[in-house]
Amino acid sequence: MLAEIFLVARKDLRVERRAKIALGQVAPLALLILMVFAFALDANTSLLERGAGGLYWLAVLYGGTLLIQRSFDVETDDGNMDALRMSAIGMPSLFLGKALALFVQITVLELILGPGILLLYNVGVVDWVLLIAAAIAGTVAFSVCGVLWGAMSAGLRVRATLLPLLLVPVLAPVLLAGSRAFETALGVRAGAGWTWAGLMFVIAAVHTALGLGAFGFLLEEG
Amino acid sequence: MSAVVEFEGVVCVAGSFPVLTGLDLRVDRGEILHVQGENGAGKTSLLRACAGLISVSSGKASVLGFDMRVDRKAPRRHIGLLGHENNLYRDLEVSKHVEFRAASVGARASDTAAALEKVRFPQQLWSVPIGSLSAGQRRKVAIASLLVGRPQLWLLDEPHAALDTESRKNLDAILIEASASGATIIFVSHESPVTKEIASRVITMDGGRITEDSGAG
Amino acid sequence: MPVANSGAKMTATLITRVLGVSALAATGLMAVLGLVISPPDVVQGEAVRMLYIHVPSIWIAYGGFALTSISSILFLRRSRRRPDQGRHYDRLAGSAAEVGVVFTAITLITGMLWGKVTWGTYWQWDARLTTTVLLFVTYLGYLALRRLPAEPAVRSRRAAVMALISFINVPIVHYSVDWWRTLHQKASLSVGRRPEITGEMYWTLLYSALAVTILATWLIIHRYRVIRLEELRDEEGLEALIASRLNKDFGSH
Amino acid sequence: MSEVATVVAGWGITFVILATYSIWVVFRGKGIGRELGIGETEQSDLEKDVGTITDS
């Protein structure tokens, strides 16, 4: 199973390395969004500083949604889903493999957005460990939920609008927890940063368990 | 001889359209079956029903000894399906793609080179992304991706499409060799000239059923 | 199972007629009890009458969504091997979710009006409100998924998985939002949202819950039948298609 | 808004929503039933049901 997971993840990442959608298009777009937030808040430094955590996760949500979409467009393109269905790869492995690939891609996106908020919003980190733990927890939750809901809308004509509609309510607690944990890590609000990070891990774990059981139902046709 | 495909009164429905309307078919091991018929006769649906990709609404169906009404996923890993589409990742290099397909059916990735050579895919293009290949070359990669998994049942939809005469002959040779080593082949094709001689049996479909069968006597 | 009859008698039966009449009588009495007979509250005054629709509505909504999830699990179990099995669970899931969404909307609207008179504001980022609005959006998405043009078997299966995950997500959403508010705005939560309920008010609330339950049951049964009728309409077209294809064969051979 | 007006608005909106939804469900069922040519004998019952709900 581990071999299958890595097989799928490696394939997805190799496709991404060739196509350069995440680095070439999604990351610049997410950075642009960070800038537009500054316009919207009229470059009010104290507002930007306090909102940095939330704006960061909103940008991740936006970029992540595009990456999730892309992850399944690759599979529905040219009938590749059929080949996956006909293969010996188990559905739980496919689920975890695609989630792993998505995790790597969103991490790259965050590595670009992170310095972005530090520089553009003029915030400093007071707790690096919490920041990194929260980022990892949030990214795992994003990837796992993303693969589940990406599969839910894969191959449908209206997937471009359906995916965000279904995904955002599910990710709302992750956005909330991520923002609060980051605010603590960035020192703009004293609070239970670690509990929020823990909550994101719990969300990720719950969705992983659900995904392992339910993923096969989502990709079967007829 | 053992039956690889055994269909009795099979009805399949796609969306709200009946694609197979009470189809009877028995295909034995080692046969090369040529399916022909007009557009919309149900040829592609027959292949997809054999692959377990569409569910059988009524009738009896078994493929490679598995009852398709009980578990249509069971025989899949022993089946090679090539549809209209090539099932290729455009952004992957040719050899990486074939390696992935090999690994995904549990075959050895090291057979990749042999498979690509067998379909006579030019070696200088092995590390080129699939997106930059011509239609004929993509078809060859698709066939190699199938070949590498050594399926027991081949389901091919217009396998010769986009191939030149030389490559068609080569594909025929590959199919004959596979059949000689015990594989069963069902292929759909409009054009028969090159391929007629390789088929051991020809069936004609219309309206989701078989209307003519050269093997039925 | 709100499906007793099969075949042609799909529109109304004695049971639903009785249910329909009961729903009318019950809601009528509910209006009398809630608006006239029950006394105004000492703290909230007349505004407390909002309680009798607001609270039962959210109970019904939760009940509807629970029913959706249970039916979805049963549907997935039944259709695992045979995609043509367990369709009635799928229909039940769809109708219960739709009724649930209607009652969630009622809860939100009455809640906002009530909030306006008691808190002085339509909206508060209170845990309950936020959770409810997320719930509403989630199940709107579920209904959107059910309406998509796709193959029925695929759509039903995906919808069932979504219902399942969404329902498990409800406590997560609730507790995270709860936490969010309690972590930094302790005071605003203590506004008298849930007064001590006793005597006539207590009985009126219980009675209202019963009345709304009857109405919701009647609605779910009818909605279920409409889904069944829609399917029958599609199937009838399908049989005609099969027949015409077969005739074509017999005609030419 | 006064308390009484709020209560009237809340109950009013609720009943309008429920009545509209009920009528929609019943008439949709009736329409498709007629299309399929079934449930003709039950029509009077349906009308009773419609009456039931609009009256409330």
Side-chain angles (χ1 to χ4, degrees):
Chain A
M1 176 149 172
L2 213 57
E4 287 181 352
I5 295 170
F6 285 127
L7 179 71
V8 173
R10 228 180 15 242
K11 184 268 294 172
D12 270 14
L13 290 174
R14 199 181 286 278
V15 166
E16 167 52 30
R17 208 178 66 195
R18 278 273 162 197
K20 293 192 178 58
I21 300 282
L23 271 178
Q25 294 174 27
V26 176
L29 192 60
L31 268 180
L32 214 55
I33 285 176
L34 287 188
M35 289 181 65
V36 176
F37 280 142
F39 300 161
L41 299 176
D42 203 16
N44 183 327
T45 321
S46 76
L47 253 185
L48 283 175
E49 197 183 338
R50 268 185 292 141
L55 298 179
Y56 171 86
W57 285 105
L58 268 179
V60 172
L61 171 72
Y62 186 74
T65 308
L66 295 175
L67 291 174
I68 292 159
Q69 194 102 64
R70 162 80 185 156
S71 169
F72 281 90
D73 281 352
V74 164
E75 302 299 352
T76 48
D77 189 27
D78 203 25
N80 278 316
M81 202 61 97
D82 274 350
L84 285 180
R85 290 189 188 108
M86 300 302 293
S87 75
I89 297 172
M91 282 299 163
S93 314
L94 187 61
F95 169 68
L96 292 178
K98 288 201 82 69
L100 178 60
L102 214 47
F103 175 81
V104 174
Q105 292 179 50
I106 298 177
T107 304
V108 171
L109 177 69
E110 291 185 51
L111 287 176
I112 294 166
L113 284 176
I117 58 162
L118 294 184
L119 296 173
L120 295 174
Y121 297 169
N122 194 30
V123 284
V125 182
V126 297
D127 189 344
W128 278 102
V129 184
L130 173 61
L131 188 83
I132 291 165
I136 291 173
T139 313
V140 174
F142 257 88
S143 323
V144 173
C145 295
V147 174
L148 262 180
W149 301 95
M152 192 89 68
S153 52
L156 298 173
R157 267 193 294 123
V158 291
R159 64 189 178 284
T161 43
L162 184 70
L163 176 65
L165 172 66
L166 301 186
L167 192 61
V168 174
V170 176
L171 286 179
V174 183
L175 277 175
L176 178 56
S179 309
R180 294 292 92 79
F182 263 42
E183 280 166 8
T184 308
L186 295 175
V188 288
R189 174 189 288 170
W194 278 104
T195 354
W196 286 116
L199 177 70
M200 289 193 283
F201 270 120
V202 170
I203 294 171
V206 169
H207 283 91
T208 306
L210 290 171
L212 287 175
F215 198 63
F217 289 111
L218 296 176
L219 292 186
E220 204 52 49
E221 82 169 309
Chain B
M1 275 215 264
S2 58
V4 171
V5 175
E6 232 175 339
F7 278 13
E8 265 178 60
V10 165
V11 174
C12 287
V13 175
S16 55
F17 188 76
V19 287
L20 297 181
T21 55
L23 179 134
D24 301 304
L25 177 67
R26 183 191 155 104
V27 185
D28 287 322
R29 189 160 180 266
E31 274 196 90
I32 302 183
L33 181 69
H34 177 189
V35 184
Q36 57 182 25
E38 288 166 28
N39 292 330
K43 306 184 295 293
T44 301
S45 305
L46 171 62
L47 295 187
R48 295 185 79 77
C50 290
L53 285 174
I54 54 176
S55 65
V56 174
S57 318
S58 71
K60 282 190 209 163
S62 87
V63 173
L64 292 166
F66 296 100
D67 187 345
M68 301 303 267
R69 303 269 320 207
V70 175
D71 186 2
R72 60 195 168 99
K73 289 184 187 174
R76 283 185 187 171
R77 65 179 63 191
H78 309 293
I79 298 175
L81 172 77
L82 179 60
H84 293 294
E85 293 169 308
N86 288 321
N87 309 350
L88 299 176
Y89 293 105
R90 285 168 217 272
D91 297 311
L92 231 47
E93 299 92 331
V94 171
S95 57
K96 294 296 173 195
H97 179 89
V98 180
E99 272 171 27
F100 172 71
R101 288 287 184 235
S104 73
V105 294
R108 275 174 297 155
S110 55
D111 290 343
T112 301
L116 281 169
E117 272 159 18
K118 212 161 191 175
V119 298
R120 302 206 180 141
F121 190 82
Q123 193 151 10
Q124 63 270 27
L125 295 179
W126 284 14
S127 53
V128 162
I130 288 164
S132 55
L133 296 177
S134 74
Q137 287 164 331
R138 285 187 205 189
R139 203 63 177 167
K140 284 186 188 175
V141 178
I143 295 165
S145 303
L146 217 60
L147 192 65
V148 77
R150 300 178 198 282
Q152 291 174 30
L153 173 61
W154 298 53
L155 303 169
L156 309 169
D157 204 345
E158 301 285 356
H160 301 86
L163 294 180
D164 57 38
T165 318
E166 205 53 39
S167 309
R168 287 176 181 213
K169 279 188 187 149
N170 183 45
L171 172 61
D172 287 350
I174 291 171
L175 296 183
I176 288 168
E177 191 192 321
S179 142
S181 62
T184 309
I185 292 151
I186 302 179
F187 72 93
V188 167
S189 187
H190 282 300
E191 42 214 322
S192 29
V194 195
T195 56
K196 199 151 215 165
E197 55 235 45
I198 70 156
S200 59
R201 183 176 155 201
V202 181
I203 59 170
T204 308
M205 289 185 71
D206 190 26
R209 315 166 82 209
I210 293 168
T211 51
E212 265 178 61
D213 188 344
S214 74
Chain C
M1 278 286 74
V3 58
N5 50 352
S6 57
K9 280 177 94 181
M10 289 304 300
T11 44
T13 60
L14 185 65
I15 300 169
T16 47
R17 208 157 67 223
V18 170
L19 253 182
V21 174
S22 316
L24 160 76
T27 38
L29 185 56
M30 173 181 153
V32 174
L33 277 177
L35 292 176
V36 183
I37 296 182
S38 72
D41 184 61
V42 216
V43 186
Q44 294 219 0
E46 301 291 342
V48 78
R49 303 192 190 283
M50 227 47 160
L51 177 82
Y52 309 125
I53 32 180
H54 180 76
V55 175
S57 290
I58 194 64
W59 288 348
I60 292 296
Y62 278 129
F65 297 145
L67 188 57
T68 300
S69 320
I70 294 165
S71 317
S72 296
I73 295 173
L74 292 172
F75 170 72
L76 287 178
R77 278 177 56 119
R78 286 298 301 278
S79 68
R80 196 188 177 98
R81 292 274 153 92
R82 297 273 308 275
D84 50 337
Q85 298 280 301
R87 307 276 326 149
H88 49 286
Y89 291 121
D90 177 52
R91 280 177 230 132
L92 182 60
S95 37
E98 197 173 286
V99 172
V101 164
V102 169
F103 278 96
T104 313
I106 290 172
T107 307
L108 284 172
I109 293 169
T110 53
M112 284 168 75
L113 286 170
W114 197 6
K116 183 66 184 167
V117 284
T118 50
W119 305 331
T121 167
Y122 286 110
W123 192 259
Q124 268 224 347
W125 288 105
D126 146 79
R128 226 173 262 271
L129 277 169
T130 314
T131 307
T132 309
V133 83
L134 280 173
L135 192 70
F136 181 64
V137 179
T138 301
Y139 281 91
L140 270 187
Y142 170 80
L143 292 180
L145 182 63
R146 288 188 67 92
R147 278 165 192 276
L148 284 185
E151 205 187 322
V154 174
R155 191 177 50 201
S156 304
R157 220 165 15 226
R158 289 188 183 186
V161 173
M162 174 170 179
L164 199 61
I165 302 176
S166 300
F167 195 68
I168 293 170
N169 225 25
V170 169
I172 297 180
V173 172
H174 180 82
Y175 285 113
S176 54
V177 176
D178 211 7
W179 226 0
W180 171 42
R181 295 326 294 174
T182 44
L183 276 175
H184 84 106
Q185 228 190 32
K186 288 197 174 80
S188 70
L189 270 177
S190 57
V191 176
R193 198 179 144 76
R194 286 213 154 194
E196 281 290 309
I197 305 171
T198 46
E200 283 154 304
M201 282 164 59
Y202 176 76
W203 290 111
T204 309
L205 177 62
L206 271 195
Y207 173 76
S208 302
L210 176 74
V212 177
T213 307
I214 296 172
L215 178 63
T217 312
W218 180 83
L219 278 171
I220 290 175
I221 294 173
H222 264 269
R223 188 68 184 102
Y224 177 97
R225 287 185 180 154
V226 171
I227 297 178
R228 177 77 188 110
L229 281 169
E230 285 165 350
E231 287 176 6
L232 269 182
R233 184 177 59 180
D234 294 344
E235 279 163 24
E236 190 162 273
L238 186 68
E239 271 159 30
L241 264 175
I242 295 182
S244 72
R245 296 198 86 178
L246 289 179
N247 285 339
K248 187 182 148 207
D249 283 355
F250 293 139
S252 58
H253 298 280
Chain D
M1 248 196 307
S2 78
E3 284 178 3
V4 175
T6 306
V7 169
V8 169
W11 281 69
I13 292 171
T14 302
F15 279 102
V16 166
I17 291 175
L18 289 177
T20 313
Y21 181 63
S22 307
I23 292 168
W24 177 78
V25 168
V26 168
F27 271 89
R28 186 162 167 77
K30 209 162 111 174
I32 299 173
R34 196 181 291 145
E35 229 176 90
L36 292 171
I38 57 171
E40 290 296 323
T41 52
E42 308 291 333
Q43 207 143 307
S44 56
D45 303 339
L46 272 171
E47 268 151 15
K48 255 180 229 159
D49 279 343
V50 176
T52 312
I53 215 64
T54 39
D55 289 346
S56 65

